[in-house]
């Protein structure tokens, strides 16, 4: 009986970890996209938002240039109602974003506001998949 309870607890803990997504850095995702393609991940960075949210970057105030940001930037795709007030409210904030990593976001259509081919699909649900956090949070 104890073994059954232990096994059930481990399975439950494993499923909880899967729901929240494996935390990985923007640079790691872009360096090894094949390792994370199609997986749910959680990424931290600064949101470049505004009227239309565009990306998550490693440092605030990074000059937005496609070539420079290829490894330090991750497009946010399928963001739903993140535009408008919510996008402006989150612009420049340090956030944690959970979504499905896509190493080829060209299937979402051409976007001049993307920062490369890699992106995080948040399933049209920014309220549940983006949260402001402190850099000190673990």
């Amino acid at each position: 009986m104890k073994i059954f309870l232990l096994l059930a607890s481990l399975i439950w803990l494993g499923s909880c970890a899967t729901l929240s997504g494996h935390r990985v850095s923007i640079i790691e995702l872009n360096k090894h996209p094949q390792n994370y393609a199609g997986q749910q991940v959680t990424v931290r960075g600064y949101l470049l938002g505004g009227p239309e949210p565009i990306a998550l970057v490693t440092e605030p105030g990074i000059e937005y240039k496609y070539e420079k940001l290829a490894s330090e930037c991750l497009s946010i795709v399928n963001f739903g109602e993140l535009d408008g007030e919510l996008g402006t409210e989150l612009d420049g904030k340090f956030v944690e974003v959970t979504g499905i990593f896509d190493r080829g976001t060209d299937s979402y259509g051409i976007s001049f506001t993307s920062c490369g081919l890699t992106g995080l699909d948040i399933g049209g649900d920014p309220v549940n998949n983006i949260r402001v956090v402190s850099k000190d949070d673990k």
Side-chain angles (χ1 to χ4, degrees):
M1 182 66 160
K2 287 182 183 180
I3 292 174
F4 174 75
L5 289 174
L6 178 62
L7 184 59
S9 296
L10 289 174
I11 291 170
W12 180 79
L13 285 172
S15 66
C16 288
T18 303
L19 289 175
S20 65
H22 174 72
R23 191 181 306 164
V24 63
S25 74
I26 295 168
I27 293 172
E28 173 66 17
L29 284 173
N30 286 325
K31 202 179 224 185
H32 304 286
Q34 68 283 357
N35 294 346
Y36 302 96
Q39 292 184 31
Q40 182 176 16
V41 295
T42 298
V43 184
R44 287 182 170 194
Y46 294 90
L47 188 71
L48 291 179
E52 182 180 342
I54 51 178
L56 199 61
V57 295
T58 57
E59 295 295 326
I62 284 183
E63 213 175 298
Y64 189 77
K65 291 182 182 171
Y66 176 85
E67 310 82 38
K68 180 179 180 187
L69 295 179
S71 67
E72 300 176 49
C73 182
L74 187 63
S75 295
I76 303 293
V77 293
N78 196 9
F79 42 79
E81 299 298 319
L82 185 56
D83 55 352
E85 281 186 39
L86 184 56
T88 304
E89 184 180 306
L90 294 174
D91 185 31
K93 299 279 196 280
F94 189 73
V95 296
E96 185 170 84
V97 182
T98 299
I100 304 298
F101 178 68
D102 190 339
R103 66 184 192 164
T105 61
D106 49 344
S107 65
Y108 292 90
I110 296 170
S111 174
F112 295 108
T113 59
S114 66
C115 59
L117 287 179
T118 60
L120 205 57
D121 184 331
I122 61 170
D125 189 7
V127 172
N128 290 313
N129 291 311
I130 299 176
R131 68 183 184 103
V132 176
V133 294
S134 167
K135 283 187 86 169
D136 299 328
D137 288 349
K138 298 290 179 201

